[in-house]
Amino acid sequence: MPSHSFAGEDVQPRLTIAVDLMESNIDEILTTDQIAELVCIFRRQLERLFKRYMPARHYLQIRLKRAHHLLQTSKMSIVQIGLSYGFSSGPHFSSS
């Protein structure tokens, strides 16, 4: 990821930390507010950074990748896996 400036600050470390937090806490989904607090920026600033520098739906893709792995390697039901990764229902998970 190239280094960018946002409001006079280098944003790469904050984005890197945010993505690392998402990936390492996938079993315990973090809210946007929690991630923003952990990287020491405001929620809206984090949202703008992701909108500008990250692919759309990045967190969703991380969750789906992990869920897909569980579908192939575990005996958990689709509903259990979907709920574990923050989807509101089996159909919501299936359609995603």
Side-chain angles (χ1 to χ4, degrees):
M1 179 180 338
S3 183
H4 298 283
S5 177
F6 186 82
E9 292 185 43
D10 183 18
V11 298
Q12 182 177 354
R14 292 178 194 267
L15 285 175
T16 301
I17 293 167
V19 171
D20 288 347
L21 284 167
M22 289 177 192
E23 291 174 351
S24 64
N25 291 288
I26 198 70
D27 294 327
E28 188 177 312
I29 304 296
L30 297 174
T31 66
T32 305
D33 288 326
Q34 290 170 318
I35 295 167
E37 183 176 333
L38 290 166
V39 297
C40 302
I41 59 177
F42 293 109
R43 175 193 171 137
R44 185 66 188 121
Q45 184 180 11
L46 179 65
E47 290 169 344
R48 284 192 303 264
L49 292 174
F50 266 90
K51 185 176 181 178
R52 185 166 181 186
Y53 299 114
M54 297 298 294
R57 301 164 47 112
H58 183 75
Y59 205 14
L60 175 63
Q61 294 304 317
I62 293 170
R63 292 169 33 221
L64 286 172
K65 184 177 178 182
R66 282 294 206 30
H68 182 260
H69 176 74
L70 265 186
L71 285 170
Q72 295 177 325
T73 61
S74 80
K75 295 184 186 260
M76 292 173 66
S77 72
I78 292 173
V79 172
Q80 289 173 313
I81 292 170
L83 293 174
S84 296
Y85 286 102
F87 296 92
S88 59
S89 66
H92 177 226
F93 173 51
S94 295
S95 68
S96 294

